[in-house]
Amino acid sequence: MRTELMPVTAASIALAASLMKEGELVAFPTETVYGLGADALNGKAVLGIFAAKGRPADNPLIAHICDKADLAPLVTWVDARTRALMDAFWPGPLTLVLPRSRAVPNEVCAGLSTVAVRMPSHPAARMLIRELGKPIAAPSANRSGKPSPTTAQHVYEDMNGRIPLILDGGPCGVGVESTVLDLTGETPVLLRPGGVTAEMLREYLPRLRVHNAVLHPLASGQEARSPGMKYKHYAPQAAVTIVRGTPQQIAARYDASVAAGKKTAILCAGAAPYGERRTFALGSDAGEMASRLFAALRAMDEEGIEVAFAEETPTEGMGLALTNRLLRAAGFCVEEG
C-alpha cells in the first residue's frame, strides 16, 4: 500500500473522509498526539486499527466527536456531572468513560460495557469528524508500544505502507494523550493523566480518585479500562531507568554505562549539570517536558541509544502525566541513585 502524506486542506479532509467511508484508516492530527482513525460505527474498519498498529484487541479505543450532541447516541446516560465537565473542558484533551449504548461496536470498547469519548480541539480533527458525519475511533498513530507520534513524520515512520493517508497538521501542542476519566461509578476515577490535570478536575470533582495503575503496573488479572493502562507503553529501543538521585549520581551511572561500551543518554529537564554527556533536555516545566518527551524518545531511537537514564519527575499538575509516560517507557524500572 502506498501511504500519502498530505497537508490539511479542504481537499485532503474530503479525501480522508471518503477513504474512511470505504472502511480505510487515516492518520490525523489532534492537540494531544496524532490519531489513527476509522469509522467508529464500522466494527470491521475498527479491527483494521489493531492490525495496522499490532495492538492487542483487549486495549480499548477512544471515540472522537465534534459536537456535544454527538455524545448521547454513544452512551446510555449523560448526567449533570458529565455535562459540567463537557462544558468546562470540551473541546480539549479530556476523555470521558461512560456506559456504552448498543450503537458502539464491541471492537471499539474491547468488549467492555463502557465507551471512552472525547471532543478534540484541533481544527483538522474536528473538520474530519464533521466531514465523515460519524464519530472516529482512534488510538495514537504509532506501532503498538512505541513512543506516540507528535508529528506527521513520526506517523510516517511507523505507518508507511500500512495506511493510505496521513494528514499533516504540524506538531501537536499538548504532546501526550488525553486525560481519561471514568464516570461510571459514584466516585470518579482518573485512569490516565493528560492535559486536563487532576487539580483541574478536582474543582468539579472533589472526590476524584487517581487509579493505582497511573503510577504502578496493573495488578495481575486486572482489566485495562482505558488506553494507556497496560504495563509497558511509549517505549524506545533503549533500556530506560528512572533514577531517584542527584545529577552527580545520574552522571556516574552514565559514565559506567559508556565504559561498558553502551551508547548512553540522559533524559533530563536541562542539560547544564551533565557537561559533555549526551542529554535529551526536555524543558523547564512539566508541561513543556511532557510535550517534548515522545519526540525525544524517538530521537533516541534514531541515534541508536541503547541505555537511557531519566531524572525522576514531580507528580503535581502536568507532572503526573509526564511521570506516567516515563514509568511506562521504562517498564516501571525505577532505582535509587
Side-chain angles (χ1 to χ4, degrees), residues 148-166:
S148 298
T150 55
T151 70
Q153 185 58 40
H154 294 163
V155 181
Y156 190 80
E157 291 164 4
D158 281 12
M159 291 293 155
N160 183 25
R162 293 176 175 271
I163 61 175
L165 178 62
I166 301 167

Side-chain angles (χ1 to χ4, degrees), residues 7-14 16-17 20 28-29 65-67 120-134 136 167:
V8 173
T9 63
S12 65
I13 290 288
M20 295 176 78
F28 63 98
I65 60 177
C66 64
D67 292 296
S121 63
H122 196 291
R126 294 170 63 78
M127 288 168 60
L128 179 58
I129 299 164
R130 189 166 283 113
E131 183 75 17
L132 179 63
K134 297 178 183 179
I136 294 177
L167 295 173

Side-chain angles (χ1 to χ4, degrees), residues 27 58 63 94 108 118 130 183 191 201 203 242 255 270 318:
D58 63 349
L94 176 65
V108 174
R118 90 173 184 98
R130 189 166 283 113
L183 293 175
L191 300 179
L201 290 171
E203 293 184 17
I242 298 171
D255 293 343
M318 277 297 290

